[in-house]
Amino acid sequence: WGVAREGEKITVTFAGQSVFTVTTNGVWKVWLEPMKPNATPQRLTVAGDTTREITNILAGEVWVASGQSNMERQLGLRAGQKPIVNWEQEVAAASYPEIRQFYVPEVKSFTPQTTVKGDWSVCSPETAKNFTAVGYFFARDLFQDRHVPIGIIFSSWGGTPAEAWTSEAGLQKLPEFAEPLAQLKKFTADPELARREAQAKQDAWFQNVDPGSKPDAAWSAADLDTADWKTMTLPTLWENAGYPDFDGVFWFRRTFDLPPNWDGGDVLLHLGAVDDNESTWINGEEVGATIGWDQLRVYRVPAHLLKRGTNVIAVRVLDTGGGGGLYGGGDTMRLICGAPGRDSRLETQVVSLSGKWQCRQSASLKTTGWPPGEFFQIPGAPTVLYNAMIAPLVPYAIRGVIWYQGEANVGRERQYRSLFPALIADWRRAWGEGDFPFLFVQIAPFNGNTPEIREAQLLTLERTTNTAMAVTIDC
């Protein structure tokens, strides 16, 4: 399927079949007759006003591998996490040209998309380290058992809840998502108004769950007793500094002195990248806030907020999954003073901000629950991952789905009893292939993963046709 000139005749030829259609409303789609598995590479030709050929195509079983970091974790090394047992030996032995992976980049959208950027990789010792680890072992064992080509469509995002992977139509059947869906519609209609309303709710959430965000005792204040705070050497992920698997709110503070010849002008603050979201204060006044784990933080600090002598910088970080903290991301933590252009006689002065910071662990998402649904910019918002990372895959012919997710819905276990089955039904409706197999992993009892979330997964198994659950309680 694809796009073409209105009325253009499209002919598709593959594996001895040739079918044609005519483009309507700018799009076309054809269906090939079912075919037997074939491990011999074949060529597909699409001919219209122009001709496109796609080579090295196999016919076999295709499975969508999705979920949160459990599925996202690749076979090779990953910063802040322990290596997978025997990963080097597994990669060295991964010579399976009949196994392929299509990687869907992590993107989000407020409306359903029809295309996604991605590419196929043929499984080999050079490529296997970038395969989803769970997906790789699933594909390898399936191939060894069935001796047919196996394709894995790898579409997952760490720290994300099930509602992000469910369409608007799928969530409309669940009353508790009525307000978030209404807010999403408001956001698409008037983004600026929605942002202001979202900011107000975000501020209220922080003030409710985070001791450091209380207006009368804010940890961003210029004067604060920090005798009971610990220290951390930055930049780093806090998982590497003694706080493994903590998702939630963390505060950082440090003092700095401006150069003696500071010219009294604005300065540039570089914090590097912060995972995921951050707000920053200088001497008790907010100077910036950014959402996104891969965004470099560069803020202009107005001169009137600074003073000669000691200044205080405070940073509040919210991490919603995976690694967390001020980890640099390729930038250097520093202040740049005396920016060129103000006075050519002044040299640019750089104040390093790397090194020891004071830090304090605050609110854990395991006790506070997920932030409000109005956090539209984060990948946990309802529908945004379905729209961008699942909808474009339809109607690619699939055998079934493997799913590994659940931690991000801890705290809303009773809701998950209906949400998870709704997701399965939603995907089956979208593909229109009937009740295809939906296989999922019951998450292990690790670090706050509750019995109730595993119970919700068990109930989904019992109440949803053609599903299977891998139990990991002994892991």
Side-chain angles (χ1 to χ4, degrees):
W1 73 97
V3 297
R5 175 181 56 81
E6 184 70 13
E8 183 177 352
K9 180 180 177 181
I10 304 294
T11 302
V12 177
T13 304
F14 180 71
Q17 300 185 46
S18 185
V19 294
F20 73 91
T21 188
V22 175
T23 303
T24 303
N25 297 323
V27 298
W28 60 269
K29 183 190 303 181
V30 300
W31 296 93
L32 297 170
E33 292 297 322
M35 60 195 73
K36 294 181 179 181
N38 190 341
T40 302
Q42 300 180 80
R43 182 188 308 270
L44 183 145
T45 302
V46 181
D49 293 347
T50 59
T51 299
R52 181 174 181 181
E53 292 187 335
I54 306 172
T55 61
N56 196 15
I57 297 178
L58 311 185
E61 295 194 8
V62 176
W63 292 77
V64 175
S66 188
Q68 56 182 116
S69 62
N70 320 67
M71 187 66 76
E72 181 187 46
R73 177 64 158 90
Q74 73 272 31
L75 186 55
L77 296 175
R78 189 179 184 92
Q81 297 183 11
K82 293 181 180 180
I84 290 176
V85 176
N86 295 326
W87 77 273
E88 291 174 304
Q89 296 93 316
E90 295 291 351
V91 166
S95 296
Y96 295 103
E98 297 90 351
I99 296 176
R100 314 286 175 84
Q101 174 181 276
F102 183 85
Y103 173 69
V104 179
E106 294 179 348
V107 290
K108 54 187 184 297
S109 174
F110 301 122
T111 56
Q113 300 299 297
T114 58
T115 187
V116 67
K117 294 180 180 180
D119 55 81
W120 284 98
S121 297
V122 177
C123 184
S124 71
E126 291 71 39
T127 63
K129 64 182 179 181
N130 294 321
F131 276 47
T132 158
V134 171
Y136 167 76
F137 290 116
F138 174 81
R140 185 199 66 181
D141 291 358
L142 197 61
F143 172 74
Q144 292 175 346
D145 181 71
R146 297 192 174 180
H147 307 290
V148 300
I150 305 295
I152 295 293
I153 299 180
F154 178 19
S155 183
S156 63
W157 193 322
T160 53
E163 61 266 27
W165 295 99
T166 310
S167 75
E168 179 182 358
L171 292 178
Q172 282 177 339
K173 302 173 183 178
L174 306 177
E176 57 267 43
F177 287 101
E179 182 179 354
L181 291 177
Q183 291 296 322
L184 281 170
K185 286 186 178 297
K186 182 183 293 186
F187 185 88
T188 55
D190 189 344
E192 190 53 42
L193 173 61
R195 283 191 182 96
R196 291 197 301 269
E197 293 181 352
Q199 186 62 53
K201 292 191 176 184
Q202 291 173 18
D203 292 342
W205 183 83
F206 275 112
Q207 292 177 19
N208 183 50
V209 306
D210 172 32
S213 297
K214 303 293 183 185
D216 56 346
W219 296 353
S220 59
D223 298 316
L224 184 70
D225 182 3
T226 58
D228 58 345
W229 286 44
K230 298 180 180 179
T231 61
M232 185 182 300
T233 300
L234 300 180
T236 188
L237 295 172
W238 61 57
E239 283 82 358
N240 298 334
Y243 300 89
D245 302 296
F246 174 76
D247 298 326
V249 183
F250 220 115
W251 282 83
F252 298 88
R253 287 175 62 98
R254 68 162 289 164
T255 59
F256 64 89
D257 291 329
L258 293 170
N261 63 343
W262 170 52
D263 66 351
D266 297 352
V267 303
L268 281 180
L269 168 63
H270 286 249
L271 288 177
V274 182
D275 194 348
D276 292 302
N277 311 328
E278 140 282 336
S279 298
T280 299
W281 292 261
I282 299 289
N283 295 327
E285 297 290 335
E286 187 170 1
V287 296
T290 302
I291 291 175
W293 66 273
D294 56 349
Q295 302 299 309
L296 297 180
R297 274 64 171 180
V298 181
Y299 301 132
R300 180 171 293 278
V301 182
H304 72 271
L305 298 183
L306 300 164
K307 59 184 179 180
R308 299 190 185 277
T310 301
N311 296 265
V312 177
I313 178 172
V315 182
R316 181 186 66 195
V317 179
L318 168 65
D319 175 52
T320 57
L326 291 86
Y327 70 97
D331 196 9
T332 302
M333 300 177 68
R334 66 199 188 280
L335 278 167
I336 302 178
C337 313
R342 286 209 298 265
D343 190 334
S344 60
R345 297 169 299 175
L346 295 174
E347 293 184 2
T348 299
Q349 300 286 321
V350 178
V351 178
S352 175
L353 295 177
S354 299
K356 287 191 175 181
W357 286 59
Q358 292 181 297
C359 65
R360 187 166 181 178
Q361 198 173 8
S362 185
S364 170
L365 292 187
K366 292 189 181 299
T367 56
T368 67
W370 195 259
E374 288 74 16
F375 277 66
F376 297 123
Q377 302 91 333
I378 64 175
T383 76
V384 296
L385 300 187
Y386 176 89
N387 291 336
M389 298 177 66
I390 299 299
L393 307 178
V394 179
Y396 201 102
I398 63 171
R399 179 73 175 89
V401 170
I402 58 174
W403 175 262
Y404 201 164
Q405 186 273 344
E407 288 91 339
N409 289 93
V410 169
R412 296 181 286 130
E413 295 88 349
R414 185 168 290 275
Q415 180 189 78
Y416 200 72
R417 293 184 183 183
S418 54
L419 174 59
F420 188 27
L423 179 150
I424 297 172
D426 188 40
W427 288 23
R428 288 172 169 172
R429 173 198 55 78
W431 257 278
E433 293 187 19
D435 293 338
F436 54 70
F438 198 104
L439 320 179
F440 60 93
V441 180
Q442 187 183 48
I443 59 176
F446 173 73
N447 199 29
N449 291 336
T450 62
E452 288 84 0
I453 197 72
R454 294 193 297 279
E455 180 188 40
Q457 293 176 306
L458 174 64
L459 292 173
T460 298
L461 170 70
E462 295 175 343
R463 299 171 181 175
T464 309
T465 186
N466 212 20
T467 57
M469 183 174 75
V471 178
T472 61
I473 195 77
D474 56 335
C475 299

